[in-house]
Amino acid sequence: MFKSALKKRSAQSDSSEIQLYLFDHALLMVKIKVVHKNEVYKVYRRPIPLELLQVTMYEDVATSKGPRTRAVLSRSSFGHRTCLAPGVGSPPLRQDAKSGYALTFTYLGKQGYSLTLWASTLASRDKWIEHIELRQHRLRQQSCVFDLLPVAPRGAPVVVTCAVPFDGGRQVFLGFPDGVYLQDLRDRSRSPTLVLPLRHVLQMDVLEEFQILLVLAEHVVYTFTFDALDPSDPVASMRHGRRIASHTSFFRAGMCLGRTLVCVVKSGAASSTIKTLEPIDVHARAKKHPTFGKMLPSGQDTLRVFKEFYIPTESSSIHFLKSKLCIGTIKGFEIVDLETLDTQGLLDPADASLEFVQRQENLQPIAIFRIDGEFLLCYNEFAFYVNKNGWRARASWLLRWEGTPTAFALHYPYVLAFDPQFVEVRHVETGALRFAWDMMRPDVTTAPPAGQTYTPGTPNMWTTATGDERLGLLRHGVLDLGEALCRGEALLDGR
């Protein structure tokens, strides 16, 4: 598609020339050597699949302290380039017509790399950006599975920590460091409105059938009925909330035993206390679309205790099965029968084919999904299938993640893995990477060759990812830059 030579330089001296070839699916870097009077092309660095390629260029901008250099990331799926603050990600050497103009090529992945090369002219640099952006745009169009919806205004000074849509996907609650905001997705030109001035909001969920908003802020779980929220008076809205639990690590809502349940978890290094609660349908009023502004008595009960139990290990996730809870702990997945409160490990130790799980260091069990009578177990390093007896299913099927995911969601036939810097979408039958978002440049969207990976970055996924079939939305998946929610066509069965 395009080729030219760029120079690799260091602070000490100029280095040799690197020949770059842009193919329709990857970027190849080679060094040309003459061996016995014949040119030999030697691969310089591992080829970068275009969907895993991030390109950074640099430009000078005027500041109050004089000219400064800022980094500019190549065009994202939102149609614009991302500019970093002056001084962040600057090239190692100055740029001018004599020294050349820098381009940094980053291979996103656990085993990826970054390499800065120099073009002799601005025109040469700009041609590389133009050709790469064009090819990535075409790949993105061919492989698009989800849309990215801008939610927070572009360039928002704070990061969205969590989000949950409701009202048929027409509205969304956004968690910011200074409180809970309401955004009408039908009119995204308007800024989000503060509805609850809570500090350090970490997690939210909506029990729409019961018109209840749950919020975890500063390790305290609160509930608010929708009709007690008044955007015109956020302070008054706070008085009508109910404090459910303190010292909370996380919570999770879902269906089990035919009931809507909320599990509130207090997890320590040696043990976890899990309280399950169910909603109280106070006025049988929750079947309609939400309205705001009506005040209810202060501290109205919204949840009542269903069961409370203790497990002697640290826990990090909860998932709802038909009649049981599956809890992710440092020991692995544990199954809790909510009727008897009996606990047992999910994996059968008699299955020798599962020894690789025990051998893996720093392994974290994060999510479990039921697919065609089997269970897809998702850890931070890999995923595999087991049957209902805890024995390995599909013995040759093992999916190794490109990054290090901290949360997952299922939108059949795809599983979404949320890494601190990006989201990868895998097909649950083949394991192939179908789509990916780089959070610093979310236009990387297609499948890489086998064995390629990403590199982690700044956190942007702060809570458990779930979804709603009626809305077709990821409920807690917040893609950083403060801008994006994932939207699918059907959705993410977290049960």
Side-chain angles (χ1 to χ4, degrees):
M1 311 299 292
F2 186 66
K3 68 175 182 178
S4 73
L6 300 178
K7 286 189 175 182
K8 181 178 182 297
R9 302 180 59 199
S10 65
Q12 288 77 28
S13 62
D14 290 353
S15 299
S16 59
E17 203 171 64
I18 306 297
Q19 189 75 31
L20 272 66
Y21 293 86
L22 177 63
F23 294 93
D24 60 352
H25 68 295
L27 179 69
L28 175 66
M29 304 180 190
V30 301
K31 292 185 74 171
I32 302 176
K33 294 186 176 181
V34 176
V35 178
H36 302 304
K37 299 182 180 181
N38 293 317
E39 285 190 342
V40 175
Y41 288 70
K42 183 178 180 180
V43 175
Y44 181 67
R45 299 295 292 269
R46 185 187 309 122
I48 308 176
L50 293 188
E51 59 275 3
L52 308 183
L53 172 64
Q54 174 180 292
V55 184
T56 307
M57 62 180 177
Y58 307 88
E59 60 183 21
D60 293 331
V61 293
T63 69
S64 58
K65 297 181 179 180
R68 299 285 298 277
T69 300
R70 70 177 180 185
V72 181
L73 307 184
S74 48
R75 197 173 304 278
S76 75
S77 57
F78 294 108
H80 58 76
R81 292 171 176 167
T82 301
C83 298
L84 305 183
V88 177
S90 297
L93 300 174
R94 70 177 185 178
Q95 297 188 117
D96 52 38
K98 181 179 180 180
S99 301
Y101 300 88
L103 281 170
T104 298
F105 299 90
T106 300
Y107 187 156
L108 300 169
K110 286 186 288 189
Q111 300 178 12
Y113 60 86
S114 289
L115 179 66
T116 298
L117 300 176
W118 296 77
S120 58
T121 65
L122 267 176
S124 176
R125 184 201 70 176
D126 292 344
K127 277 190 176 182
W128 271 109
I129 291 288
E130 176 187 344
H131 282 282
I132 289 173
E133 286 183 338
L134 176 61
R135 188 58 207 161
Q136 289 180 326
H137 174 70
R138 290 176 178 173
L139 288 176
R140 184 169 64 247
Q141 288 182 320
Q142 294 169 6
S143 303
C144 185
V145 177
F146 296 93
D147 295 323
L148 299 180
L149 293 180
V151 175
R154 182 181 175 187
V158 293
V159 174
V160 179
T161 58
C162 53
V164 56
F166 67 102
D167 189 19
R170 291 180 283 270
Q171 300 185 78
V172 61
F173 288 115
L174 302 172
F176 285 85
D178 65 337
V180 176
Y181 286 71
L182 175 66
Q183 175 73 64
D184 191 331
L185 296 180
R186 293 164 294 188
D187 184 10
R188 289 193 290 271
S189 63
R190 300 179 60 182
S191 297
T193 303
L194 178 67
V195 292
L196 294 169
L198 285 167
R199 291 178 57 81
H200 305 301
V201 177
L202 297 176
Q203 188 181 351
M204 295 187 295
D205 204 348
V206 164
L207 304 181
E208 194 157 3
E209 180 182 357
F210 300 93
Q211 301 288 276
I212 295 172
L213 170 67
L214 299 100
V215 182
L216 174 61
E218 294 188 307
H219 302 290
V220 177
V221 179
Y222 301 89
T223 60
F224 300 88
T225 56
F226 278 17
D227 46 7
L229 297 176
D230 185 2
S232 66
D233 192 350
V235 176
S237 298
M238 284 293 302
R239 295 197 295 267
H240 298 277
R242 182 75 171 178
R243 183 173 173 145
I244 299 300
S246 58
H247 307 291
T248 301
S249 303
F250 65 94
F251 72 87
R252 183 73 186 272
M255 292 291 297
C256 187
L257 294 172
R259 303 168 180 260
T260 298
L261 296 177
V262 177
C263 292
V264 178
V265 182
K266 299 179 182 179
S267 181
S271 64
S272 299
T273 300
I274 301 173
K275 181 187 294 186
T276 61
L277 308 103
E278 57 181 339
I280 302 172
D281 193 358
V282 180
H283 302 299
R285 53 170 171 70
K287 305 292 184 180
K288 300 180 180 180
H289 292 297
T291 57
F292 297 94
K294 298 178 182 178
M295 293 294 134
L296 294 178
S298 177
Q300 181 181 10
D301 286 337
T302 52
L303 301 175
R304 61 181 168 225
V305 176
F306 175 65
K307 291 282 181 72
E308 187 170 0
F309 59 94
Y310 157 93
I311 56 175
T313 183
E314 182 179 359
S315 59
S316 57
S317 65
I318 286 185
H319 299 274
F320 296 86
L321 305 178
K322 186 176 181 180
S323 61
K324 299 177 176 64
L325 295 180
C326 182
I327 303 175
T329 75
I330 57 174
K331 297 179 180 179
F333 286 107
E334 300 285 328
I335 300 296
V336 178
D337 189 318
L338 271 184
E339 295 178 319
T340 65
L341 298 185
D342 291 337
T343 303
Q344 66 178 29
L346 173 60
L347 300 183
D348 192 329
D351 186 354
S353 68
L354 292 172
E355 289 182 357
F356 72 96
V357 180
Q358 302 301 324
R359 292 196 304 265
Q360 181 71 46
E361 296 181 356
N362 302 317
L363 191 63
Q364 298 177 17
I366 298 175
I368 176 173
F369 303 108
R370 187 184 183 100
I371 300 175
D372 295 333
E374 298 173 335
F375 295 93
L376 178 64
L377 306 187
C378 297
Y379 296 77
N380 60 325
E381 292 290 337
F382 46 65
F384 58 92
Y385 283 94
V386 298
N387 60 24
K388 63 181 181 180
N389 298 317
W391 282 64
R392 182 85 180 272
R394 310 187 192 187
S396 61
W397 198 98
L398 180 65
L399 193 165
R400 292 193 177 273
W401 306 112
E402 303 290 354
T404 307
T406 58
F408 296 89
L410 179 69
H411 179 181
Y412 189 83
Y414 303 109
V415 60
L416 296 93
F418 293 82
D419 176 273
Q421 187 179 356
F422 63 92
V423 181
E424 60 181 292
V425 180
R426 294 281 196 158
H427 197 286
V428 297
E429 301 299 334
T430 66
L433 182 60
R434 181 68 175 84
F435 193 90
W437 296 289
D438 166 22
M439 293 302 96
M440 290 301 294
R441 190 189 58 81
D443 58 333
V444 286
T445 57
T446 57
Q452 309 296 344
T453 55
Y454 293 79
T455 296
T458 56
N460 52 61
M461 181 71 182
W462 298 96
T463 182
T464 306
T466 60
D468 191 312
E469 292 182 73
R470 295 171 299 173
L471 307 185
L473 297 175
L474 288 185
R475 300 182 64 127
H476 301 304
V478 181
L479 311 186
D480 205 357
L481 303 180
E483 294 189 285
L485 281 178
C486 303
R487 182 170 185 173
E489 297 176 354
L491 194 78
L492 320 171
D493 184 357
R495 298 187 293 276

